[in-house]
Amino acid sequence: NAGVMQNPRHLVRRRGQEARLRCSPMKGHSHVYWYRQLPEEGLKFMVYLQKENIIDESGMPKERFSAEFPKEGPSILRIQQVVRGDSAAYFCASSGGQQINTEAFFGQGTRLTVV
Amino acid sequence: AQSVAQPEDQVNVAEGNPLTVKCTYSVSGNPYLFWYVQYPNRGLQFLLKYITGDNLVKGSYGFEAEFNKSQTSFHLKKPSALVSDSALYFCAVRVYSSASKIIFGSGTRLSIRP
């Protein structure tokens, strides 16, 4: 049973370009979380999605950032017109449901560098 | 709003000594608490969780954590530290609501010296 798969592992974008980060949850998991981690800092919650639904996007910047989790295929975190401050590690986690006693499993992350 | 605090940015312990990584939480309902570990350039790995029941929870790699409701704490402990335990440790909390996201603390870097 494969774990949470994120790709690419490393992504370099020039300022103004778009970044698309993909996350395939563990088999059987229907809930996905996205977090951002700056160097030597903690994880900041961005968005919580269920298949075809955004459950909580309170951590998403109001502009340039969007996320989706379609019925088929991976979850996508999209950053438009990237700026240097978007450089960070972006982690995806998945869980089997909304049950609060279930832990989330993390992917290896995508390290975005904006040059 | 729910939150979790890790008051120490760094903890240094000699190999073989006991270690404690502190975590306190603030929630409006019953907390569900987790500890994760992160090794360099890797994702987070689940260590243990508290849901209900015994206040002392045992997890992976010999770690355990003690839930203390009166002190709203969930400290991570290990009786005898290993150099390989050196990593970044995160405490997390989840409270049931219509959107039960997981909130993480700022992390504590654990350094075990030989």
Side-chain angles (χ1 to χ4, degrees):
Chain A
N1 185 13
V4 179
M5 303 300 293
Q6 289 188 249
N7 67 82
R9 291 290 308 275
H10 300 274
L11 182 61
V12 179
R13 284 287 178 266
R14 295 187 184 279
R15 280 178 295 172
Q17 290 185 319
E18 178 181 287
R20 292 171 70 88
L21 288 63
R22 296 174 184 78
C23 170
S24 296
M26 286 182 70
K27 186 177 181 180
H29 283 187
S30 59
H31 292 246
V32 164
Y33 312 79
W34 284 94
Y35 292 85
R36 177 164 61 180
Q37 185 179 35
L38 295 171
E40 300 301 314
E41 293 191 11
L43 283 87
K44 299 298 184 185
F45 168 78
M46 298 183 75
V47 63
Y48 172 27
L49 308 109
Q50 190 180 1
K51 286 278 188 181
E52 300 184 280
N53 283 312
I54 297 175
I55 299 176
D56 184 340
E57 56 181 349
S58 59
M60 287 281 271
K62 299 299 182 188
E63 298 178 347
R64 303 189 297 109
F65 284 72
S66 62
E68 63 176 4
F69 189 16
K71 186 177 181 180
E72 301 290 339
S75 175
I76 305 289
L77 178 67
R78 183 183 178 202
I79 311 172
Q80 295 178 290
Q81 300 173 353
V82 296
V83 300
R84 289 226 170 107
D86 296 333
S87 296
Y90 292 84
F91 289 97
C92 167
S94 74
S95 68
Q98 206 166 357
Q99 295 89 342
I100 53 175
N101 61 350
T102 57
E103 61 271 25
F105 295 88
F106 280 79
Q108 300 280 31
T110 293
R111 280 155 183 81
L112 172 66
T113 302
V114 180
V115 297
Chain B
Q2 63 193 54
S3 65
V4 60
Q6 293 181 243
E8 301 158 315
D9 290 336
Q10 175 126 6
V11 171
N12 299 307
V13 177
E15 187 175 28
N17 283 0
L19 68 87
T20 298
V21 183
K22 296 179 181 177
C23 171
T24 58
Y25 64 90
S26 174
V27 301
S28 56
N30 289 324
Y32 295 82
L33 296 153
F34 307 84
W35 275 102
Y36 287 80
V37 59
Q38 184 181 32
Y39 296 100
N41 299 316
R42 302 290 295 275
L44 276 68
Q45 296 179 29
F46 169 76
L47 275 180
L48 51 81
K49 65 182 177 183
Y50 170 81
I51 305 299
T52 60
D54 289 341
N55 290 340
L56 186 63
V57 179
K58 294 188 182 297
S60 307
Y61 312 120
F63 283 94
E64 57 190 28
E66 186 171 10
F67 173 68
N68 187 317
K69 188 173 182 178
S70 63
Q71 297 184 2
T72 62
S73 66
F74 189 56
H75 301 332
L76 182 70
K77 300 181 179 183
K78 187 172 182 180
S80 179
L82 300 173
V83 173
S84 58
D85 293 330
S86 298
L88 192 55
Y89 290 80
F90 290 98
C91 182
V93 66
R94 194 176 193 185
V95 175
Y96 181 76
S97 69
S98 59
S100 52
K101 62 191 178 190
I102 304 172
I103 301 297
F104 285 83
S106 56
T108 298
R109 185 163 299 282
L110 178 63
S111 178
I112 310 299
R113 60 183 183 276

